[in-house]
Each structure stands twice: as structure tokens, then as C-alpha cells.
């Protein structure tokens, strides 16, 4: 089809396009008459948990979404070298000391100076778990697995921050002890 035929074809649709534009403009300019009742939008439902339209979640400390939240103060690192209990099974242990300035990159891992199997006894540090020396096929390696090399992808520093979400985890030993006490 030539360009000339295309122009002729487009001109045939021009009156239809103008009509549609006029109808659309008329609908936009229409103001409600006094005889038509005003329709207000429905109010958002309020559940037993509060106003779903305004409340969000506890991580916002129950501040409505349309209000700016002032940030909590930064948590301070606890540097007591005291091991904490774990909050759930298989949780990576938290780091009980400051790690500011620790270099962990492709060429160096400052954590392994103290926590490697060779140096742990000398520095009185817990040695890295044997699982850190396994590859994805459960084959043991001579050095730490590349999957476990960057310690802070799993382990975090202990701080004085209060938990944002309540945790009622009880380990199996405590559950069994409690059950045994109830039988006696």
C-alpha cells in the first residue's frame, strides 16, 4: 500500500475520531445537576485490628502510613564477648564483639585470623563450624567454602536494640525439661 492510499484511508476515519473526541469532552465538562444525588465513596472498613486504611504494621510502630516516622536511635554494639542464646533452631550465632574496620573481601578475611581451626585455641575464640568447610555437594574442603567466606551475610553483631517483633521461641531442651517437670 502506498503512502497516498494510507492518507486516504486515514481521512475516512477522521470524522469518527472527531465525533469520539467531542463526546469525551462533553462527558468531562458535564457538571452534576441539583436533581442528581451526591454519591460519596464508602468509608474503609474498620476491623477488630484497627483501621486497615490508616494502620500498617508493627514495624512502623503503629504510625499511620500518611505520617512521617521519626527514626529510632542507632543501636549500640555490645562488646562484652558474651555469647547469646539463639532465637530459633539453626540460627547463625551473633557476633559478641565489634567488627568495625574488619576487612572481609576477596583477598582477606579478618574473622578467620581468630576463628580459623588453626588459630582458635590460641585466641580463645570459637572455631568456625565444620559446615563452613563443606561445598554444596557436602564435600569437605581444605579452606572455608566460598559460600561461607563472607561471614556477615549470616552473622550479625550483637546490639542493645529492642526486637521489633516479639519472639516466643523455646528450644527443644527447655520444652522437654518442662514436660518432665509437669509429669512429676
Amino acid at each position: 500500500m502506498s503512502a497516498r492510499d494510507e492518507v486516504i484511508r486515514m481521512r475516512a476515519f477522521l470524522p469518527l475520531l472527531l465525533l469520539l473526541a467531542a463526546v469525551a469532552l462533553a462527558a468531562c465538562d458535564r457538571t452534576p445537576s441539583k436533581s442528581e444525588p451526591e454519591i460519596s465513596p464508602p468509608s474503609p472498613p474498620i476491623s477488630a485490628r484497627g483501621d486497615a486504611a490508616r494502620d500498617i504494621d508493627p514495624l512502623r510502630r503503629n504510625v499511620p502510613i500518611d505520617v512521617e516516622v521519626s527514626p529510632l536511635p542507632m543501636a549500640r554494639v555490645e562488646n562484652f564477648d558474651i555469647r547469646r542464646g539463639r532465637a530459633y533452631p539453626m540460627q547463625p550465632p551473633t557476633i559478641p564483639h565489634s567488627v568495625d574496620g574488619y576487612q572481609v573481601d576477596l583477598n582477606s578475611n579478618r574473622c578467620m585470623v581468630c576463628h580459623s581451626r588453626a588459630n582458635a585455641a590460641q585466641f580463645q575464640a570459637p572455631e568456625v563450624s565444620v559446615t563452613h568447610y563443606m561445598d554444596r555437594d557436602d564435600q569437605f574442603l581444605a579452606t572455608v567454602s566460598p559460600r561461607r567466606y563472607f561471614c556477615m551475610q549470616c552473622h550479625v553483631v550483637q546490639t542493645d536494640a529492642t526486637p521489633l517483633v516479639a519472639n516466643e521461641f523455646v528450644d527443644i531442651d527447655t520444652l522437654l525439661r518442662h514436660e518432665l517437670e509437669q509429669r512429676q
Side-chain angles (χ1 to χ4, degrees):
M1 186 180 294
S2 71
R4 182 174 180 268
D5 293 337
E6 195 68 33
V7 170
I8 292 172
R9 188 171 159 205
M10 288 178 67
R11 283 186 183 165
F13 287 108
L14 190 59
L16 179 62
L17 288 174
L18 290 173
L19 179 65
L20 287 174
V23 170
L25 282 173
C28 290
D29 290 341
R30 188 174 149 227
T31 56
S33 67
K34 300 222 187 260
S35 63
E36 291 182 21
E38 243 183 70
I39 299 173
S40 60
S43 60
I46 296 178
S47 69
R49 297 177 58 172
D51 184 356
R54 291 187 50 83
D55 294 344
I56 196 137
D57 58 39
L59 295 179
R60 283 189 57 87
R61 299 181 311 239
N62 295 318
V63 176
I65 195 164
D66 58 347
V67 176
E68 186 68 30
V69 179
S70 59
L72 292 172
M74 291 291 291
R76 290 185 305 274
V77 173
E78 292 181 346
N79 205 10
F80 302 133
D81 282 339
I82 298 172
R83 288 191 204 175
R84 281 193 183 163
R86 301 190 187 188
Y88 56 90
M90 304 304 290
Q91 175 193 3
T94 54
I95 303 169
H97 56 80
S98 175
V99 292
D100 290 344
Y102 274 38
Q103 182 177 354
V104 179
D105 59 26
L106 188 60
N107 300 316
S108 174
N109 184 334
R110 171 67 173 85
C111 301
M112 295 307 290
V113 170
C114 299
H115 294 281
S116 68
R117 293 176 120 17
N119 297 337
Q122 176 186 352
F123 289 100
Q124 297 179 356
E127 60 185 53
V128 173
S129 166
V130 69
T131 60
H132 288 59
Y133 290 88
M134 295 168 61
D135 66 7
R136 66 180 177 192
D137 299 322
D138 292 336
Q139 300 297 314
F140 286 96
L141 307 171
T143 59
V144 172
S145 169
R147 298 182 317 143
R148 303 288 186 99
Y149 184 79
F150 296 98
C151 307
M152 274 150 298
Q153 70 184 2
C154 297
H155 301 275
V156 296
V157 176
Q158 294 176 0
T159 64
D160 62 355
T162 56
L164 293 173
V165 178
N167 182 1
E168 298 174 6
F169 168 75
V170 179
D171 65 346
I172 189 67
D173 295 330
T174 305
L175 285 174
L176 293 174
R177 192 176 327 112
H178 182 68
E179 186 178 306
L180 186 64
E181 290 171 358
Q182 284 183 342
R183 287 186 198 166
Q184 294 176 353

